[in-house]
Amino acid sequence: MRNDPADQRIGNALIEYRTNMYRVAYSYMNDRDDALDVVQESCLKALRACSTLKNTDNVKAWLLRITANTALDMIKKNKRSCPMEELPDRGETDSYERMELMDMLGKLDDKCREVMVLRYFEDIKIADIARQTGENVNTIKSRLHRAIMKLHGEYEKDTEAL
Amino acid sequence: MEMDSDKLIFRLKKQYNAIEIPGELNERVDSAMNGAGVHPGAGLRHGRGFMRALRGTAIGAAALAAAFIGVVNVSPSAARAMQDVPVLGQISEFLSFRSFDDEQYGVEAHLTIPEISGMENETAQINLNRAVNEYVDSLIVLHNDDVATAKKAYIEDPELMEESETVHISMTNICTVLTDNDEVFSMRLTTDIVMAGAQELYKCFTVDKRTGEVISLGELFRENSDYAEVLTGIVARQMVERAAEDEGVCYFAEEEGFEGVSQVQNFYITDAGTLVLCFDEYEIAPGYMGAQTFEIPTEEIEDILFGGLLK
């Protein structure tokens, strides 16, 4: 029986935020099965890393950052074995809209993408993101700004092309 | 330009929140938790007698599942919940679990039903378990309705039967203990219903350990007080504040969304004795906002309080 309070907190958080973890994972993997793998692996990592969770940490931010990093690791691994572009198109039920989201996120570098997802889609406070990434608040803010500028630019390009 | 970016982000966020949650997700999280070093039997080594009571009660036939309500099961999720107390929050009582598993015509339900034992105030325990059971029964009625509807569709169109392995509707639930102290025990059952989209239903239970009564919202306030209106005002104000603080926050306008706090409002009491009101997903805000909770500062309601549970 594990009764460590950090463990309990993580256990609760895994239940509470599992759908958030899945969406973060999916936003990187763009594939249901891969996203499920990422979530499972992230749960294991979180439980193993429970000693790194401090009392003052926002547990959702902590968990989602682990998820994002796990997704990135898996993408790197996949790339080594099979370049993403060559993966067969699974042709699932992805709507046009979903493709826009994935398309846009794909245009961002890893760091911008992370802050974008955590701040705007998962409502994590900038201060909490900064804490988890070990960077200062202004760095995160400017990264967010850069992400938005980039997205906006891409959006303009797309509409002009139409 | 600023505006355009806002709109773009808002649109992307909507798409993000529309990412479908596969029914398998719970299983995968469960299995990760099981794999993290907590093994069946761990409880026995620590002298948890109730583990013994669970042995040999594994249940197979899904078709008969309904008859097994009331039997302790060792389904993976129930076993996980028992070994892995962390998911339940800090509790002084024993929680054991029964499960309801049924799968027919592409409709499945896997419900974990908590049963509290060892509570000092036995009346509190009986009342709480009864309230939980009544609620779970209502979920099972929902499930049976879905099965009946699906069955009818299959009878009308036998070809559908070939695809019956596809799950069209799935229902699972999870129990979280929110507060457990000398006076109050609050817990929440979260039920995930996955159809074309996914929806989470919450049901909170709070028992007053001093009197043994499962309490309703109104019982926290003086008789004849206008508590619903007072709470409505506080929630409405907090909504405006949240929306002003963060542009990503959005609630439905009053006529189609928040109709005010009702007498059957979901709520729980925190360890510090603060009232928290809970709203289901989609109830007062778009889906991407998820389920919403509002903490009610006790000093704002102290004039109408009754019973001393809220501090």
Side-chain angles (χ1 to χ4, degrees), chain B residues 231-254 258 284 289 292-294:
Chain B
L231 295 175
T232 300
I234 296 171
V235 170
R237 194 198 67 223
Q238 290 191 15
M239 283 180 175
V240 173
E241 285 168 2
R242 286 183 195 179
E245 213 169 88
D246 185 341
E247 74 248 28
V249 169
C250 163
Y251 293 100
F252 293 136
E254 278 192 28
F258 181 48
I284 54 166
M289 296 272 298
Q292 292 285 305
T293 57
F294 295 87

Side-chain angles (χ1 to χ4, degrees), chain A residues 12-160:
Chain A
N12 277 329
L14 292 179
I15 299 297
E16 181 117 26
Y17 299 121
R18 63 202 191 284
T19 56
N20 306 75
M21 291 173 79
Y22 178 79
R23 290 203 169 100
V24 169
Y26 191 95
S27 78
Y28 280 91
M29 310 311 292
N30 196 13
D31 176 87
R32 179 183 170 280
D33 293 335
D34 288 348
L36 283 169
D37 288 344
V38 167
V39 172
Q40 190 165 355
E41 180 63 30
S42 306
C43 290
L44 287 171
K45 277 191 190 167
L47 288 164
R48 271 186 234 124
C50 72
S51 58
T52 67
L53 178 68
K54 295 174 202 75
N55 277 337
T56 47
D57 276 343
N58 174 319
V59 63
K60 181 181 174 188
W62 182 82
L63 210 51
L64 296 187
R65 178 121 208 283
I66 290 179
T67 311
N69 284 336
T70 308
L72 282 176
D73 287 348
M74 191 172 292
I75 289 172
K76 275 182 210 142
K77 241 187 262 165
N78 285 350
K79 261 193 186 149
R80 245 178 278 141
S81 55
C82 170
M84 285 300 265
E85 302 81 60
E86 287 172 24
L87 283 176
D89 180 7
R90 302 192 189 226
E92 282 171 0
T93 52
D94 278 344
S95 63
Y96 170 74
E97 282 203 334
R98 179 81 51 76
M99 294 193 41
E100 183 192 16
L101 171 71
M102 301 314 300
D103 199 36
M104 286 289 192
L105 287 177
K107 302 254 162 71
L108 300 176
D109 63 60
D110 292 347
K111 286 181 172 173
C112 283
R113 183 182 183 136
E114 180 181 66
V115 291
M116 185 80 202
V117 170
L118 294 184
R119 177 68 198 102
Y120 284 110
F121 300 159
E122 290 293 348
D123 290 324
I124 308 276
K125 292 202 176 87
I126 288 178
D128 287 326
I129 299 175
R131 212 190 148 87
Q132 293 308 324
T133 53
E135 269 145 327
N136 76 42
V137 168
N138 287 325
T139 311
I140 303 297
K141 278 188 185 162
S142 69
R143 206 172 278 165
L144 263 182
H145 186 70
R146 210 166 69 226
I148 290 169
M149 287 299 121
K150 174 86 177 155
L151 287 184
H152 196 267
E154 292 296 337
Y155 177 65
E156 299 260 276
K157 246 194 262 166
D158 283 358
T159 32
E160 270 163 32

Side-chain angles (χ1 to χ4, degrees), chain B residues 261-279:
Chain B
V261 171
S262 82
Q263 291 173 346
V264 291
Q265 192 71 48
N266 255 324
F267 71 94
Y268 66 90
I269 298 174
T270 66
D271 197 35
T274 310
L275 175 65
V276 180
L277 299 178
C278 313
F279 292 85

Side-chain angles (χ1 to χ4, degrees), chain B residues 8-305:
Chain B
L8 176 65
I9 290 167
F10 187 74
R11 199 170 67 235
L12 294 178
K13 183 166 180 171
K14 254 174 51 190
Q15 294 166 23
Y16 178 86
N17 284 294
I19 293 173
E20 264 176 48
I21 305 297
E24 245 177 287
L25 179 64
N26 288 347
E27 240 170 75
R28 301 293 287 269
V29 173
D30 277 2
S31 100
M33 290 174 109
N34 277 335
V38 188
H39 302 289
L44 271 181
R45 281 202 301 277
H46 287 75
R48 296 265 167 151
F50 67 89
M51 286 296 290
R52 220 164 302 142
L54 295 171
R55 289 184 157 188
T57 54
I59 287 154
L64 291 172
F68 284 103
I69 271 286
V71 176
V72 177
N73 191 352
V74 288
S75 78
S77 64
R80 185 262 301 152
M82 277 176 293
Q83 306 147 17
D84 213 1
V85 176
V87 301
L88 301 164
Q90 198 98 40
I91 53 160
S92 56
E93 278 77 24
F94 265 166
L95 270 156
S96 60
F97 296 85
R98 300 179 290 119
S99 69
F100 172 82
D101 291 285
D102 185 29
E103 205 171 330
Q104 294 179 65
Y105 303 99
V107 179
E108 62 176 328
H110 301 285
L111 301 178
T112 306
I113 307 151
E115 202 163 58
I116 290 83
S117 58
M119 207 179 255
E120 214 168 295
N121 182 336
E122 212 170 308
T123 324
Q125 178 178 310
I126 292 168
N127 287 333
L128 181 63
N129 284 331
R130 185 187 301 137
V132 169
N133 279 328
E134 280 169 11
Y135 177 70
V136 171
D137 284 348
S138 74
L139 292 177
I140 293 171
V141 168
L142 269 182
H143 166 74
N144 287 339
D145 285 351
D146 288 338
V147 170
T149 311
K151 186 176 174 184
K152 196 162 159 262
Y154 284 132
I155 290 170
E156 280 165 12
D157 184 359
E159 273 180 31
L160 274 175
M161 207 53 191
E162 285 160 26
E163 297 162 28
S164 70
E165 292 198 352
T166 327
V167 174
H168 302 294
I169 305 178
S170 106
M171 192 194 268
T172 48
N173 68 0
I174 276 159
C175 164
T176 315
V177 172
L178 301 162
T179 303
D180 184 25
N181 59 31
D182 290 344
E183 296 184 343
V184 179
F185 181 86
S186 275
M187 60 174 240
R188 181 182 67 206
L189 272 186
T190 307
T191 306
D192 282 330
I193 299 182
V194 181
M195 290 197 264
Q199 192 185 359
E200 282 192 340
L201 290 182
Y202 291 103
K203 175 70 186 169
C204 297
F205 301 89
T206 293
V207 66
D208 183 339
K209 287 189 177 173
R210 303 167 309 177
T211 63
E213 296 300 319
V214 174
I215 42 184
S216 66
L217 187 58
E219 284 162 344
L220 294 168
F221 297 95
R222 286 200 193 134
E223 227 175 308
N224 299 325
S225 69
D226 52 352
Y227 73 90
E229 273 166 61
V230 174
L231 295 175
T232 300
I234 296 171
V235 170
R237 194 198 67 223
Q238 290 191 15
M239 283 180 175
V240 173
E241 285 168 2
R242 286 183 195 179
E245 213 169 88
D246 185 341
E247 74 248 28
V249 169
C250 163
Y251 293 100
F252 293 136
E254 278 192 28
E255 54 274 17
E256 59 199 44
F258 181 48
E259 290 167 344
V261 171
S262 82
Q263 291 173 346
V264 291
Q265 192 71 48
N266 255 324
F267 71 94
Y268 66 90
I269 298 174
T270 66
D271 197 35
T274 310
L275 175 65
V276 180
L277 299 178
C278 313
F279 292 85
D280 279 347
E281 208 175 9
Y282 305 112
E283 193 178 349
I284 54 166
Y288 75 79
M289 296 272 298
Q292 292 285 305
T293 57
F294 295 87
E295 200 163 305
I296 307 296
T298 305
E299 62 268 20
E300 293 185 36
I301 46 174
E302 62 191 349
D303 293 349
I304 52 170
L305 284 184

